Amino acid sequence: MWASAILTYLFLYLPLIIVVLYSFNDSRLNAEWVGFTFKWYDKLFHNEKMLTAAANSLVIGILASFFATILGTLAGIALHRYKLKLLPFLVLTPIAIPELLMGVSLVIFFVIVNQLIGILELGFITILLSHIAFCIGFVAIVVRARMQGMDDSLVEAARDLGATPFQAFRLITLPVIKPGIIAGALMAFTLSIDDFVITFFTAGAGASMLPLEIYSMIKIAVTPEVNAVSSLLMLLTLALIVIATRVSPSALRANS
């Protein structure tokens, strides 16, 4: 069991470690290690095109996770409370279908809408709407799982004691599902900031997004500059994981 676990984790994390190490390689090619340097990070931070793409991806990720968390939380609560056969299909379908199919369907939808009303060209807004659409299901699943561990009699007791539906939600339901909401928001942000397929279809000609810029860079070769971008993305993801692990236990202690 230990040998299997060690091999599995090596398979998962060894390539990531190599990417980080070679982001400091003093060579244009990744064929061999030449020496240690920070020049690729310096070059990256002076690359205005890459910085613009990163800023656009951060804005999209923040906005998409914000709106997807609100809608996904409501969807997760509805999935728990209302046993409607059509509701899980509507909420979870964007997760189940392939990203390629969803990207094609979304770009066709946006083109048709733009032809009808003329105000929805492919660009920032279409990327944001697309990311919100496919992130809602992930948030809903996490919140629904959190709701299943909740004692519904607490809400009924609050209502019997005179609490309004909103007060019962704010004082009882929301604190219980708060760790699930945080986890769903972080998941939505992570999925949004590194999504390529759906972004590729809905970005349009003039949009500059980080996954698309990285893709254009690796068409020739995987350079240390690409490794530097990847390392920073991994650092951001690890920071979000640390925040989630620190916030969730404190929320659970507050609930208890």
Side-chain angles (χ1 to χ4, degrees):
M1 184 180 295
W2 277 104
S4 176
I6 291 173
L7 290 175
T8 300
Y9 282 113
L10 283 176
F11 177 78
L12 291 174
Y13 292 107
L14 187 59
L16 302 179
I17 296 173
I18 293 174
V19 167
V20 175
L21 290 177
Y22 272 82
S23 67
F24 300 101
N25 187 19
D26 192 11
S27 173
R28 184 67 185 175
L29 301 176
N30 282 322
E32 60 179 353
W33 179 267
V34 175
F36 187 88
T37 182
F38 286 103
K39 71 177 182 181
W40 302 112
Y41 288 91
D42 181 69
K43 184 177 181 180
L44 177 64
F45 289 133
H46 288 86
N47 189 336
E48 294 186 2
K49 189 175 182 180
M50 183 63 70
L51 293 178
T52 300
N56 291 338
S57 293
L58 282 174
V59 172
I60 290 288
I62 293 172
L63 292 177
S65 60
F66 175 77
F67 290 107
T69 300
I70 295 175
L71 297 175
T73 299
L74 298 176
I77 295 172
L79 288 172
H80 175 73
R81 292 183 177 176
Y82 308 107
K83 309 302 180 182
L84 301 176
K85 294 182 178 180
L86 185 61
L87 188 58
F89 174 79
L90 295 175
V91 175
L92 304 180
T93 295
I95 300 177
I97 64 176
E99 281 194 341
L100 181 63
L101 177 59
M102 187 172 181
V104 172
S105 61
L106 283 171
V107 71
I108 293 174
F109 170 75
F110 290 138
V111 169
I112 293 175
V113 172
N114 187 53
Q115 290 176 347
L116 293 176
I117 60 177
I119 59 172
L120 196 62
E121 295 183 357
L122 296 180
F124 185 90
I125 299 298
T126 56
I127 297 173
L128 177 60
L129 294 176
S130 302
H131 286 207
I132 293 173
F134 79 80
C135 286
I136 289 176
F138 292 97
V139 179
I141 288 178
V142 178
V143 173
R144 181 187 183 183
R146 185 66 186 165
M147 287 286 296
Q148 290 177 347
M150 175 182 171
D151 187 359
D152 293 332
S153 62
L154 296 175
V155 178
E156 297 174 0
R159 298 281 286 132
D160 291 338
L161 293 173
T164 63
F166 178 74
Q167 288 175 330
F169 172 78
R170 182 173 63 87
L171 299 175
I172 305 298
T173 305
L174 186 59
V176 172
I177 65 175
K178 183 179 177 181
I181 295 175
I182 295 173
L186 294 175
M187 181 183 297
F189 178 79
T190 304
L191 292 171
S192 173
I193 199 171
D194 68 351
D195 177 78
F196 172 77
V197 177
I198 295 177
T199 304
F200 177 80
F201 281 99
T202 59
S208 178
M209 302 296 293
L210 187 57
L212 302 183
E213 289 297 325
I214 294 176
Y215 174 73
S216 65
M217 292 172 64
I218 64 174
K219 285 183 178 179
I220 300 175
V222 180
T223 64
E225 191 175 358
V226 176
N227 293 336
V229 177
S230 303
S231 300
L232 293 176
L233 282 176
M234 282 189 282
L235 180 62
L236 176 61
T237 304
L238 290 175
L240 293 176
I241 293 173
V242 171
I243 293 173
T245 55
R246 290 186 175 274
V247 172
S248 297
S250 61
L252 289 174
R253 287 194 297 268
N255 294 339
S256 60

